[in-house]
Amino acid sequence: MAGLLAETCFLSKIEPKYVKTALQDENWINAMQEELFQFERNEVWELVSRPKDHNVIGTKWIFKNKSDENGNIVRNKARLVAQGYTQVEGIDLEETFAPVARMEAIRLLLALACLLKFKLYQMDVKTAFLNGIVHEKVYVEQPKGFEDLTKGDQVYKLKKTLYGLKQAPRAWYERLTIYLLKNGYIRGGVDSTLFIKRDRNQLMVAQIYVDDIVFGGVSSQLVKQFIQQMEAEFEMSMVGELKFFLGIQISQMKDRIFISQSKYAKNIVHKFSLVNAKPKRTPMATHVKITKDENGKEVDISNYRSMIGSLLYLTASRPDIAHSVGVCARFQAAPKESHLNLVKRIIKYVQGTLNHGLLYTFDTDNSLVGYCDTDWAGNAEDRKSTSGGCFFLGNNLVSWFSRKQNSVSLSTAEAEYIAAGSGCTQLIWMKQMVEEYGVNPGVMTLYCDNMSAISISKNPVQHSRTKHIDIRHHFIRELVENKVIQIEHMSTDKQIADIFTKGLDVNQFEYLRMTLGLCVIDK
């Protein structure tokens, strides 16, 4: 602790907004020089004469203090970025798309780590984007404060990508992919951010999220080999056990994994000044019919959208608020006081459940099971239904959804059938993913509480009430006939997906929340 305090004494606690201010502080000058040293080390650019008929992109310094989990400043980070908004398409850039791992893919990896009983690690590639190769001719201005006085009119021609360039993520991903493929890894067919290596039936996996890499394997030898290969090619700023990823806290224990966003949740409560408010036991009142409330009192739109955005990210580990947040998100165009009160209720519920998270246990199997439900004509404005679903690998929750259907359903059977269609597509994606890991889930099961919807999926009946849902009708039936998915009945009181379609009373809500695997644990 004393060492940490001594180190922070030599760090600047102020984040300068302007280069002129930063150049007056030795700590920030050192941080800027360290950044430019990385440019030199990676051979990012070369100084050339200013081109006459070519766009030259400006550069800008960004200053940021890096903190640890306790809020202590551990590093002054100066980053030189290109002003990408001045890039000209067709000249400075061509393709820009780069794949990013889906959050549910990360949760699936956690569930598979429990199934196959291996530990996960993470690494952060230092100045990752400086490793990407530039295929276009791109010129940037010299960095402010570090211009070459003898060659003041010259500019840098980029060999590697720079932070801020629109093609930078794509170039980095391309460079990393080529390197991993060269070292015996196979890229996932369904998820192109997944890389797998098998050696004598020993599995090694790596999931890429820009410059953050989550990896692990059954063989400790393959894990060590992966670390050595990455460190030989790229400079790492951090390698260690997976504990904190994209704002999500991950605790890996002997026989379970616990993920939560308690620190993030606490920040939300503080941010919107509801620390002293009385906590609520549910995020939404029972049978609340929310309308546009056109005659209601208007509220600050930016504040309302900030609340919704904050809560939406919290749903990465908190499926219990997915439905209530989704409903409130529908009114971001013109929020009223009644809508704001509903969002505040969600935050009050979060305040009372700050330490709740998802528990993944090693006591699991390779089965894929889904639950789907719908609240028929639940939207008071357009009478559209809300579909909800959740999907498990063994006992561990991997994915869920709560969304309004695109069309008005004429019956509960139709609404439930549409929800079942969404559930089937999600199960198929999960099946394809786990098969890439070498796991065979067998016949998948989807539970539905509507007998009519189940009958439509199993029997070739052409009824006046179902003829207009012909495409989805054949899609689900084909899956059932080919024994890819079996659709089974479940009583409404045990239907877990109910929590994603409507407001529930306290007892039912807390029962379903516990069934999902949401709880508090003693670490």
PDB file of all heavy atoms in Angstrom, residues 144 190 277 301 361 447 479 487:
ATOM      1  N   LYS A 144       1.155  18.162 -31.927  1.00  0.00           N
ATOM      2  CA  LYS A 144       1.375  19.480 -31.322  1.00  0.00           C
ATOM      3  C   LYS A 144       2.292  19.361 -30.107  1.00  0.00           C
ATOM      4  O   LYS A 144       2.131  18.488 -29.266  1.00  0.00           O
ATOM      5  CB  LYS A 144       0.039  20.084 -30.912  1.00  0.00           C
ATOM      6  CG  LYS A 144      -0.839  20.432 -32.115  1.00  0.00           C
ATOM      7  CD  LYS A 144      -2.205  20.932 -31.678  1.00  0.00           C
ATOM      8  CE  LYS A 144      -3.082  21.209 -32.897  1.00  0.00           C
ATOM      9  NZ  LYS A 144      -4.451  21.604 -32.516  1.00  0.00           N
ATOM     10  N   VAL A 190     -19.260 -19.196 -36.889  1.00  0.00           N
ATOM     11  CA  VAL A 190     -20.431 -18.405 -36.492  1.00  0.00           C
ATOM     12  C   VAL A 190     -20.003 -17.069 -35.903  1.00  0.00           C
ATOM     13  O   VAL A 190     -20.546 -16.024 -36.235  1.00  0.00           O
ATOM     14  CB  VAL A 190     -21.282 -19.185 -35.455  1.00  0.00           C
ATOM     15  CG1 VAL A 190     -22.497 -18.373 -35.036  1.00  0.00           C
ATOM     16  CG2 VAL A 190     -21.706 -20.529 -36.024  1.00  0.00           C
ATOM     17  N   ALA A 277     -32.851   7.356  -1.421  1.00  0.00           N
ATOM     18  CA  ALA A 277     -34.239   6.999  -1.724  1.00  0.00           C
ATOM     19  C   ALA A 277     -34.573   5.622  -1.151  1.00  0.00           C
ATOM     20  O   ALA A 277     -33.694   4.780  -0.962  1.00  0.00           O
ATOM     21  CB  ALA A 277     -34.464   6.998  -3.238  1.00  0.00           C
ATOM     22  N   ILE A 301     -34.897  15.729 -21.599  1.00  0.00           N
ATOM     23  CA  ILE A 301     -34.711  14.568 -22.484  1.00  0.00           C
ATOM     24  C   ILE A 301     -33.326  13.954 -22.303  1.00  0.00           C
ATOM     25  O   ILE A 301     -33.184  12.730 -22.217  1.00  0.00           O
ATOM     26  CB  ILE A 301     -34.919  14.968 -23.961  1.00  0.00           C
ATOM     27  CG1 ILE A 301     -36.379  15.348 -24.204  1.00  0.00           C
ATOM     28  CG2 ILE A 301     -34.530  13.833 -24.885  1.00  0.00           C
ATOM     29  CD1 ILE A 301     -36.671  15.791 -25.628  1.00  0.00           C
ATOM     30  N   THR A 361     -22.443 -22.235 -12.064  1.00  0.00           N
ATOM     31  CA  THR A 361     -21.896 -23.322 -11.257  1.00  0.00           C
ATOM     32  C   THR A 361     -21.251 -24.394 -12.141  1.00  0.00           C
ATOM     33  O   THR A 361     -21.606 -24.553 -13.312  1.00  0.00           O
ATOM     34  CB  THR A 361     -22.995 -23.975 -10.404  1.00  0.00           C
ATOM     35  OG1 THR A 361     -23.963 -24.588 -11.280  1.00  0.00           O
ATOM     36  CG2 THR A 361     -23.690 -22.939  -9.528  1.00  0.00           C
ATOM     37  N   TYR A 447     -39.373 -24.426 -23.838  1.00  0.00           N
ATOM     38  CA  TYR A 447     -40.591 -24.532 -23.026  1.00  0.00           C
ATOM     39  C   TYR A 447     -41.524 -23.361 -23.310  1.00  0.00           C
ATOM     40  O   TYR A 447     -41.105 -22.202 -23.324  1.00  0.00           O
ATOM     41  CB  TYR A 447     -40.245 -24.575 -21.543  1.00  0.00           C
ATOM     42  CG  TYR A 447     -39.615 -25.883 -21.115  1.00  0.00           C
ATOM     43  CD1 TYR A 447     -38.233 -25.976 -20.922  1.00  0.00           C
ATOM     44  CD2 TYR A 447     -40.396 -27.017 -20.924  1.00  0.00           C
ATOM     45  CE1 TYR A 447     -37.649 -27.174 -20.541  1.00  0.00           C
ATOM     46  CE2 TYR A 447     -39.820 -28.224 -20.539  1.00  0.00           C
ATOM     47  CZ  TYR A 447     -38.451 -28.300 -20.352  1.00  0.00           C
ATOM     48  OH  TYR A 447     -37.875 -29.491 -19.981  1.00  0.00           O
ATOM     49  N   LEU A 479     -37.863 -27.618 -37.707  1.00  0.00           N
ATOM     50  CA  LEU A 479     -36.939 -27.889 -36.610  1.00  0.00           C
ATOM     51  C   LEU A 479     -37.460 -29.000 -35.709  1.00  0.00           C
ATOM     52  O   LEU A 479     -36.698 -29.852 -35.236  1.00  0.00           O
ATOM     53  CB  LEU A 479     -36.714 -26.619 -35.781  1.00  0.00           C
ATOM     54  CG  LEU A 479     -35.985 -25.460 -36.474  1.00  0.00           C
ATOM     55  CD1 LEU A 479     -35.999 -24.229 -35.589  1.00  0.00           C
ATOM     56  CD2 LEU A 479     -34.552 -25.855 -36.817  1.00  0.00           C
ATOM     57  N   ILE A 487     -40.426 -28.819 -28.531  1.00  0.00           N
ATOM     58  CA  ILE A 487     -41.171 -27.778 -27.815  1.00  0.00           C
ATOM     59  C   ILE A 487     -42.090 -28.459 -26.808  1.00  0.00           C
ATOM     60  O   ILE A 487     -42.943 -29.271 -27.178  1.00  0.00           O
ATOM     61  CB  ILE A 487     -41.966 -26.894 -28.788  1.00  0.00           C
ATOM     62  CG1 ILE A 487     -41.008 -26.239 -29.793  1.00  0.00           C
ATOM     63  CG2 ILE A 487     -42.758 -25.830 -28.039  1.00  0.00           C
ATOM     64  CD1 ILE A 487     -41.668 -25.332 -30.798  1.00  0.00           C
TER      65      ILE A 487
END
